[in-house]
Amino acid sequence: MLKNKPNRAAELPLGHNSITIDRIDVSHLKRRKGDPRKYSDRDVERAVGVLRHLPEGAVLPIIVSDADEILIGGLLVEAAKKLDIRQLNIIRQDGLSPIEQQQYSIALNQLLTLGHWDAREFEACLRDFEATIEDFSHATLGFANGELDRILGFADALKGGGGDADAVPAVDQIAVSQRGTRWKAGMLIATEI
């Protein structure tokens, strides 16, 4: 049974749970057997859009076991393969038992999904990106169509406080023109009273 202990390096035996930063061939990285985290083709394409615009050699949050099994960052590895990136900088986590690897992987992947974006701060970042990054797109940040609108509150504004943003507004029942009004190519010519 796994014992819950605080993460205090001073209490652990030397060599247990050590990390190193490494450069590794992407072909050596493999999924951990029984990994419950799955990625759709659309997820991989979104990651490709991000990786394509990152600086070459940037350290990515990819953590692997001592057996080159991916604990964190599987989506980034899949995107790197699609982009034919041959090597990646990774963090190697040595000394964990298989059950510790599984717990570590699930817990950190879940924690990375938590939090929310502050709309004002996020909008300021977007303005900076738009002003300084050539051909900036939401895709360079990994967002799908409409996600930025939702974060910034535009989706709610478009909906007018409820309903579907794509819905056709109700037609006003009051007549626009009266008997005797003459129109030509959409312009009012004269109204007889």
Side-chain angles (χ1 to χ4, degrees):
M1 179 172 186
L2 184 64
K3 295 179 182 177
N4 290 327
K5 290 186 179 179
N7 190 9
R8 295 188 190 121
E11 297 176 6
L12 297 172
L14 190 60
H16 176 78
N17 195 17
S18 64
I19 62 164
T20 54
I21 296 178
D22 235 337
R23 187 152 183 88
I24 188 170
D25 288 338
V26 174
S27 62
H28 292 160
L29 297 173
K30 52 193 171 265
R31 286 184 60 92
R32 192 173 42 80
K33 185 178 178 181
D35 183 2
R37 191 81 169 178
K38 307 294 182 206
Y39 306 104
S40 69
D41 291 342
R42 184 164 164 74
D43 295 336
V44 174
E45 287 306 315
R46 285 172 68 177
V48 164
V50 172
L51 282 186
R52 184 176 282 132
H53 297 281
L54 291 181
E56 188 173 329
V59 177
L60 303 172
I62 300 171
I63 303 174
V64 303
S65 71
D66 44 2
D68 294 338
E69 293 177 324
I70 303 163
L71 301 173
I72 310 290
L75 180 60
L76 297 169
V77 173
E78 291 301 315
K81 288 177 183 178
K82 279 231 175 213
L83 288 170
D84 203 29
I85 295 173
R86 304 228 191 270
Q87 291 191 325
L88 288 171
N89 295 318
I90 54 98
I91 299 169
R92 184 175 306 282
Q93 181 74 51
D94 291 330
L96 297 178
S97 71
I99 196 71
E100 287 174 320
Q101 289 176 9
Q102 187 174 33
Q103 180 190 23
Y104 177 79
S105 176
I106 290 172
L108 288 187
N109 274 303
Q110 176 58 25
L111 289 176
L112 291 171
T113 67
L114 300 179
H116 68 280
W117 299 104
D118 178 275
R120 275 191 251 152
E121 294 292 334
F122 195 84
E123 185 173 7
C125 291
L126 289 176
R127 298 292 170 241
D128 289 344
F129 296 152
E130 289 170 345
T132 58
I133 298 174
E134 188 176 329
D135 298 324
F136 172 73
S137 157
H138 68 278
T140 62
L141 297 175
F143 288 93
N145 289 333
E147 281 186 302
L148 293 181
D149 290 342
R150 183 184 51 74
I151 292 167
L152 298 174
F154 297 145
D156 291 336
L158 290 173
K159 291 180 184 180
D164 182 8
D166 294 328
V168 176
V171 177
D172 195 352
Q173 297 302 318
I174 301 172
V176 176
S177 57
Q178 304 171 7
R179 185 179 176 129
T181 303
R182 295 188 301 170
W183 295 85
K184 182 175 184 180
M187 295 178 58
L188 177 63
I189 305 262
T191 303
E192 297 174 11
I193 301 179

